Amino acid sequence: MSGSNYLRNLIVAAGLCAVPSHPVLRREDWFVHGSDHLQSYISELAHHWTNASDGTRSREIRATGNEILEGFGNVLAGLAATGSSKRTILKTPSTRNLENLKIMFPGARVIFLIRDGRDTCFSRLRAGYEKNLEESVRFWSTRVRHMLRHDEKSRTGGTGATRPLWVRYEDAVEAPDTVLDRIALYLDTRRDTSNDVDAGRLPVFGSSEFGHDETGDFAKVTVARPDDFNPVGRWKSWPRVTREMFHEIAGDELIELGYEADNTWCTAPDG
């Protein structure tokens, strides 16, 4: 719903990264999503050593917790091998446990793909991921907060090179070459400009416009990109009452991401 498939395909088509050979990992990895269970294991193990009256070993276990997470990350990175000298590109639909990402994969470069929350929620509701728009808006707002918090910690606790690169989906659609140049610089690699990428010919995967069967159920499908395909600004058909509801829940995030300068967008008259 945020165009992660489009951006991934764009990066791969430009020759900047390679996808894993495993078909499941070519779609989504979920590597960090459940990493809190590893932390719970480490804490429980340390707790049992404390009960065994071995406080020294308990402290050692807690002190090496990050090493355990990183070791697990090394195993997962091996599963995602591409057999190529290029960087492996992975994507996840979850922002849960982002704080563990750089611990598990210290050499990773992180790209945060964002999309206008109004279009994101429009698509998610259309696809049936949530029961109502309010639920969808809260979903988007929470995940944006996760990303902003992670970025803040990266900015105050690390070097600029380790900070996530923020990419707008709208920019990737409207100015793909500019976005690819930014990504190449971030990945510390050169873009092969002889390898022209026709973004307009990339297939569409997972769009809420496609994939509905006769019963109305939605499934992600790959389709050829229609000439009139335009995923930007669909929310503009919303009536004022819907716009105001979005603003009440996630208006601050919309402004913080730079999609609006103030709140006047939600009070404009219908039509």
Side-chain angles (χ1 to χ4, degrees), residues 16-17 19 23 34 50 63 88 117 121 195 208 213 234-235 245 260:
L16 298 179
C17 294
V19 294
T50 299
T88 302
C121 294
N195 185 19
S208 62
D213 60 23
R234 294 171 177 167
W235 66 270
M245 184 272 287
E260 294 289 347

Side-chain angles (χ1 to χ4, degrees), residues 135-242:
E135 185 180 344
S136 184
V137 176
R138 294 191 185 280
F139 176 94
W140 181 81
S141 173
T142 298
R143 278 142 188 80
V144 167
R145 280 290 149 201
H146 290 167
M147 296 162 74
L148 290 169
R149 185 165 59 247
H150 179 83
D151 185 62
E152 175 65 23
K153 290 182 179 179
S154 299
R155 182 167 58 250
T156 58
T159 63
T162 62
R163 287 187 60 193
L165 175 70
W166 292 76
V167 173
R168 285 192 184 197
Y169 171 64
E170 295 81 5
D171 293 340
V173 170
E174 297 168 3
D177 287 331
T178 301
V179 168
L180 287 172
D181 286 340
R182 288 183 59 219
I183 292 174
L185 181 63
Y186 179 68
L187 298 179
D188 195 25
T189 188
R190 289 183 178 273
R191 182 184 166 201
D192 182 3
T193 54
S194 65
N195 185 19
D196 292 332
V197 180
D198 187 350
R201 291 187 177 274
L202 292 176
V204 177
F205 173 74
S207 172
S208 62
E209 283 195 29
F210 313 102
H212 292 275
D213 60 23
E214 61 277 2
T215 66
D217 291 336
F218 175 77
K220 293 182 179 180
V221 297
T222 301
V223 300
R225 182 179 296 266
D227 292 337
D228 60 350
F229 183 73
N230 182 12
V232 179
R234 294 171 177 167
W235 66 270
K236 293 181 180 179
S237 61
W238 282 352
R240 176 171 175 172
V241 64
T242 303

Side-chain angles (χ1 to χ4, degrees), residues 56-104:
T56 302
R57 181 53 58 85
S58 174
R59 287 190 293 273
E60 289 175 354
I61 293 171
R62 293 185 186 278
T64 58
N66 284 358
E67 294 180 27
I68 295 174
L69 285 172
E70 184 178 347
F72 202 86
N74 287 335
V75 174
L76 295 176
L79 295 175
T82 65
S84 168
S85 60
K86 299 176 182 178
R87 278 185 177 268
T88 302
I89 184 168
L90 294 167
K91 69 184 188 72
T92 179
S94 174
T95 58
R96 181 182 169 191
N97 296 316
L98 274 178
E99 65 276 9
N100 292 333
L101 197 155
K102 294 300 289 186
I103 299 173
M104 296 178 67

Side-chain angles (χ1 to χ4, degrees), residues 29-36 96-98 100-101 104-105:
D29 65 80
W30 296 93
F31 279 170
V32 179
H33 178 80
S35 58
D36 54 317
R96 181 182 169 191
N97 296 316
L98 274 178
N100 292 333
L101 197 155
M104 296 178 67
F105 307 101

